[in-house]
Amino acid sequence: MERLLDIRNLKVWYSTYRGFAKVVDGINMHVGKGEKVGLVGESGCGKTTTMKSILRVLDSRKVHIPEGEIIFKGSDILRMNYNEIQQVRRRSISMISQEPSAALNPVFTVGDQIMEVIRHSGQFDKNFSKKDMKSLAIKAIRDVLISDPERIFDSYPHQLSGGMKQRICIVMALVTPRELLIADEPGTALDVTIQDQIHRLLRSLVEEKHMSLIMITHSLGVARELVDRIYVMYAGNIVEAAKTKDLFKNPLHPYTRGLMDCVPRLSGGGVSEGIYGYIPDYINPTPGCRFYPRCPDAKEVCSRQKPPATVATENHLVACFKYN
Amino acid sequence: MLLYISKRLFQGVFVVVGISILIFIISRVVPGDPARMALGPRAPQYAVDELRREMHLDKPLPVQYCYWFSGVIRGDFGKSINTKRPVMADVKEFLPATIELALFSGFLFIFFSIILGLLAARYRDTWVDGIIRALSYTGIAVPAFVVAVILMLLFGYVWPIIPVLGRLSSDITAPPVITGLITVDSLATGNFTAFFDALKHLLLPSLALAVGPLFQEARILRSSLTDNMGKEYISVATGYGISGSVIMRKYLLKPSFIPVVSVMGLDFASLMGNAFLVERIFNWPGISRYGINAMLNKDLNAISAVIVIFGAIFIVVNIIVDLIVASLDPRIRLGGK
């Protein structure tokens, strides 16, 4: 499959008073054309940071990218000049933020904000009037299953419910044609039924428009429903990557197994064992495997050396000495 | 919106009445007999009694209030014991000077606080921000009358290029009174010599008054801007490739000005009342100085008039500020959830 996006050895550091926090520690991942990919990991593992570095919306005064490439359609996003990155942001990639309430400007109507995205997309010629833009926006609002788009168009964010705001964020991301959608835990802030609706809606829209999707989530269950391939991320490293089916049939990395045990099951009763401990210090990380302190299968070598990504079976990568 | 305005006006009327009752009660319970004070310790008792009757001081308090308030509505605050003139005539003479001072001062602090705030936010955490921060803390900490004395020392003694006393130089004929604001009146009559002279006289006292609010608002604007720069919707807008100028204008400035405008309004309204020391130092014939003199002499009618007028101005300014904030912030205009 042709690669649309290819992230190679990306490192993202945040500068803090105590030194650099090495939040993303050399990750590799790729997304094919029309492919739906999941990035799964617990909060704070660097998922959002990775995704924000694709659109270069991290605060450049705090963030340092010492190494890595983000190849999008043959050119490296990290080395693009301002005009080139603006073209990517306007025409090719869009991102849905995880907090719909924070993602919308409180002092303008949602219609106004959608129109701004359309206006900046640069995909319409001069004959495309403001009225045409508005009808495009209204149509896009209707597409996310909102029944009275005209009223919503003139509403301010504070007048909408969380689910509505999340839908409006989806509208902004999909109102103009794009090749890649990055969805950062959409629906996390909402209750489960709405969350489920949002996920289904997102999948059908992405499939209908033949787009690629990166779905960021902390839930393997959500990823299983939505994506073709899953990357499991732990503390800034990709620890396992496989087709969704293969990952669930045969999870290899101890962290992936732990995550699967975390999902409470409806039958069987009791709370599962889960994973002990917390995400490690990013400022002085261990030289070895970052999961080593919490790993049930830790060996001596794990504390000294970083496990390289190994091909376990076809299309199934795992970074663990157990399989080396 | 119209409903919101009428609601605010309606509330404002009640507040003015409330202030008038409060100030009336306070002015009547302080010790000392106004009639005796007006006539002096040697005046015969019958003269004092007669003046008491004339001023309705022999009636019960609620009746006194009714006499007084019905006058206030007609614009009659009674006679000043101090100046022996109707209080309204004094107010007409002194109020425009203070309004002129406050307007000019307000213009200064609004203009410069916006510039400093924008600069500090734009160059945050650099030396520019550092200098503005140091200046700000100094400016907020030093009271207006100290600034006034320093300015007077600098420009009246060390480097006498700007006049430091009064509203106009003595060799310049004042323009005819239209609004009472000399700058406006002289412009209206085309008298530019008087206009520039009045401006020069305005400069130092209004600067002394402006320093505190100026730096305070620069700080608030800076923190509000830097706060909003870190908001998710800014990074979302950046992620959609929305141009820098649109992000600045639309996504950053409008929400950032909401807290600043509220404080600016409050500061502007309190300028009037806080002006008295500055008015004293610069010999500015303003209402604030008049009010303090009235208080020292227990000139009841004058005190009440000054305070009711200040209260009314405060309320009007606040209503205007609320309307500006409401026009900026839909959450207030439409009622938040």
Side-chain angles (χ1 to χ4, degrees):
Chain A
M1 197 189 290
E2 198 186 335
R3 287 184 182 185
L4 182 66
L5 180 82
D6 195 353
I7 300 177
R8 294 179 191 155
N9 192 30
L10 178 71
K11 295 186 177 179
V12 185
W13 295 357
Y14 284 96
S15 75
T16 70
Y17 286 112
R18 289 167 54 216
F20 281 114
K22 300 169 186 77
V23 172
V24 175
D25 187 38
I27 72 162
N28 291 287
M29 67 182 285
H30 61 88
V31 184
K33 269 201 176 134
E35 194 185 18
K36 299 193 288 292
V37 165
L39 182 60
V40 182
E42 56 198 316
S43 320
C45 73
K47 306 182 298 265
T48 302
T49 300
T50 311
M51 292 304 119
K52 284 195 165 175
S53 56
I54 296 175
L55 280 174
R56 295 211 336 224
V57 291
L58 294 165
D59 186 348
S60 58
R61 293 149 20 98
K62 287 183 198 141
V63 168
H64 177 58
I65 300 183
E67 258 184 83
E69 290 172 325
I70 300 174
I71 312 290
F72 179 73
K73 295 209 291 184
S75 40
D76 184 357
I77 284 178
L78 296 178
R79 274 154 200 86
M80 283 181 179
N81 65 28
Y82 180 72
N83 287 329
E84 289 165 340
I85 183 68
Q86 286 291 74
Q87 286 309 311
V88 172
R89 288 165 173 170
R90 290 173 181 181
R91 289 163 180 262
S92 307
I93 306 178
S94 57
M95 182 162 169
I96 299 171
S97 153
Q98 57 182 309
E99 249 311 330
S101 310
L104 296 170
N105 186 336
V107 299
F108 291 97
T109 61
V110 296
D112 196 342
Q113 297 178 57
I114 296 170
M115 296 285 274
E116 205 65 77
V117 172
I118 300 176
R119 203 172 297 131
H120 277 83
S121 70
Q123 293 176 348
F124 306 98
D125 57 22
K126 288 213 169 66
N127 297 326
F128 201 77
S129 67
K130 204 170 169 187
K131 222 174 114 199
D132 295 333
M133 283 190 203
K134 181 166 176 181
S135 58
L136 181 68
I138 297 277
K139 186 189 163 297
I141 299 176
R142 191 173 284 123
D143 281 350
V144 295
L145 311 177
I146 292 176
S147 50
D148 48 352
E150 279 87 4
R151 185 179 65 85
I152 300 298
F153 186 88
D154 290 321
S155 300
Y156 287 92
H158 76 274
Q159 296 172 311
L160 303 178
S161 67
M164 281 293 187
K165 278 186 260 194
Q166 186 70 72
R167 282 162 209 262
I168 294 300
C169 291
I170 296 175
V171 170
M172 283 166 71
L174 299 180
V175 64
T176 61
R178 310 259 176 183
E179 286 156 280
L180 172 65
L181 173 69
I182 301 168
D184 188 356
E185 308 204 26
T188 313
L190 309 172
D191 61 72
V192 276
T193 46
I194 308 282
Q195 192 179 341
D196 195 49
Q197 279 178 20
I198 296 282
H199 289 153
R200 281 163 203 276
L201 177 68
L202 209 54
R203 184 173 60 184
S204 72
L205 286 171
V206 165
E207 281 173 358
E208 187 184 301
K209 293 171 197 265
H210 308 292
M211 296 168 73
S212 306
L213 169 73
I214 302 179
M215 178 83 188
I216 307 177
T217 173
H218 56 250
S219 155
L220 273 171
V222 169
R224 185 183 200 171
E225 298 278 302
L226 291 177
V227 301
D228 311 325
R229 212 150 51 78
I230 293 178
Y231 287 91
V232 180
M233 192 166 182
Y234 180 77
N237 295 114
I238 299 289
V239 294
E240 189 165 2
K243 291 220 161 95
T244 308
K245 210 168 57 204
D246 298 340
L247 189 82
F248 276 90
K249 207 192 293 167
N250 186 23
L252 296 177
H253 198 279
Y255 177 64
T256 315
R257 293 180 177 185
L259 271 186
M260 285 185 182
D261 283 342
C262 283
V263 181
R265 294 191 180 84
L266 285 177
S267 58
V271 177
S272 60
E273 284 191 19
I275 307 167
Y276 290 104
Y278 304 96
I279 277 213
D281 185 9
Y282 284 119
I283 292 171
N284 298 302
T286 125
C289 174
R290 287 191 173 182
F291 188 57
Y292 157 75
R294 296 167 80 181
C295 185
D297 304 330
K299 287 185 282 190
E300 195 271 329
V301 60
C302 302
S303 65
R304 282 185 285 110
Q305 249 184 309
K306 218 172 201 27
T310 345
V311 182
T313 57
E314 205 206 341
N315 290 326
H316 196 148
L317 286 171
V318 61
C320 181
F321 285 115
K322 247 173 107 179
Y323 306 96
N324 208 340
Chain B
M1 195 67 188
L2 219 68
L3 189 82
Y4 183 78
I5 297 175
S6 43
K7 206 171 98 188
R8 290 307 319 259
L9 283 173
F10 190 67
Q11 287 169 348
V13 172
F14 273 93
V15 179
V16 174
V17 174
I19 291 176
S20 73
I21 292 176
L22 203 67
I23 188 55
F24 181 80
I25 292 172
I26 292 173
S27 67
R28 299 298 136 131
V29 296
V30 285
D33 180 355
R36 169 59 75 188
M37 283 179 82
L39 296 175
R42 283 156 191 255
Q45 189 58 42
Y46 69 88
V48 175
D49 288 342
E50 193 165 326
L51 189 62
R52 284 178 65 86
R53 257 195 305 285
E54 201 184 300
M55 293 170 77
H56 307 294
L57 290 173
D58 53 339
K59 310 258 178 7
L61 271 185
V63 179
Q64 286 186 38
Y65 175 76
C66 290
Y67 272 115
W68 178 74
F69 195 68
S70 65
V72 168
I73 289 169
R74 293 191 308 268
D76 173 18
F77 285 94
K79 253 185 170 176
S80 162
I81 299 168
N82 217 12
T83 58
K84 310 280 190 284
R85 297 197 303 172
V87 172
M88 209 50 200
D90 290 343
V91 168
K92 273 187 187 144
E93 185 182 336
F94 295 121
L95 186 61
T98 296
I99 288 181
E100 188 173 36
L101 184 63
L103 283 178
F104 198 70
S105 184
F107 167 77
L108 281 183
F109 78 67
I110 289 170
F111 185 75
F112 286 106
S113 66
I114 290 174
I115 288 180
L116 287 183
L118 288 177
L119 275 178
R122 171 72 184 78
Y123 299 102
R124 64 192 185 283
D125 304 330
T126 66
W127 59 271
V128 180
D129 189 21
I131 289 176
I132 294 174
R133 184 192 318 248
L135 275 177
S136 301
Y137 289 147
T138 322
I140 295 167
V142 178
F145 65 90
V146 176
V147 179
V149 172
I150 293 172
L151 284 176
M152 187 165 229
L153 206 65
L154 278 180
F155 294 104
Y157 180 72
V158 180
W159 194 32
I161 51 158
I162 305 176
V164 292
L165 289 176
R167 297 177 77 187
L168 262 188
S169 304
S170 49
D171 54 340
I172 287 176
T173 35
V177 175
I178 305 169
T179 58
L181 313 183
I182 292 183
T183 45
V184 176
D185 292 347
S186 57
L187 263 191
T189 51
N191 186 348
F192 289 104
T193 358
F195 175 70
F196 287 114
D197 190 66
L199 265 192
K200 271 200 269 177
H201 278 82
L202 263 174
L203 194 59
L204 292 186
S206 54
L207 194 62
L209 276 177
V211 164
L214 193 167
F215 287 113
Q216 191 183 345
E217 276 136 31
R219 293 296 301 164
I220 296 173
L221 182 58
R222 181 212 179 264
S223 67
S224 157
L225 279 167
T226 47
D227 206 34
N228 281 329
M229 280 175 193
K231 285 274 165 67
E232 182 72 10
Y233 56 79
I234 299 286
S235 94
V236 167
T238 314
Y240 281 113
I242 289 175
S243 58
S245 63
V246 173
I247 289 189
M248 186 71 186
R249 262 202 340 268
K250 206 166 164 170
Y251 287 77
L252 194 56
L253 284 186
K254 197 173 166 187
S256 301
F257 266 105
I258 293 168
V260 188
V261 169
S262 315
V263 180
M264 277 178 176
L266 285 180
D267 277 343
F268 181 77
S270 16
L271 273 189
M272 312 247 173
N274 293 344
F276 70 92
L277 280 169
V278 172
E279 286 185 356
R280 257 230 132 97
I281 292 168
F282 288 101
N283 199 22
W284 193 263
I287 192 83
S288 216
R289 199 182 60 162
Y290 173 78
I292 292 298
N293 285 337
M295 281 179 208
L296 295 175
N297 294 311
K298 204 168 184 323
D299 187 349
L300 287 186
N301 289 336
I303 296 172
S304 314
V306 168
I307 289 179
V308 169
I309 286 166
F310 279 169
I313 290 174
F314 213 94
I315 288 159
V316 169
V317 171
N318 268 311
I319 290 176
I320 292 172
V321 166
D322 283 349
L323 293 181
I324 295 175
V325 170
S327 75
L328 287 175
D329 193 343
R331 286 164 295 187
I332 292 175
R333 183 164 73 243
L334 305 168
K337 264 193 274 190

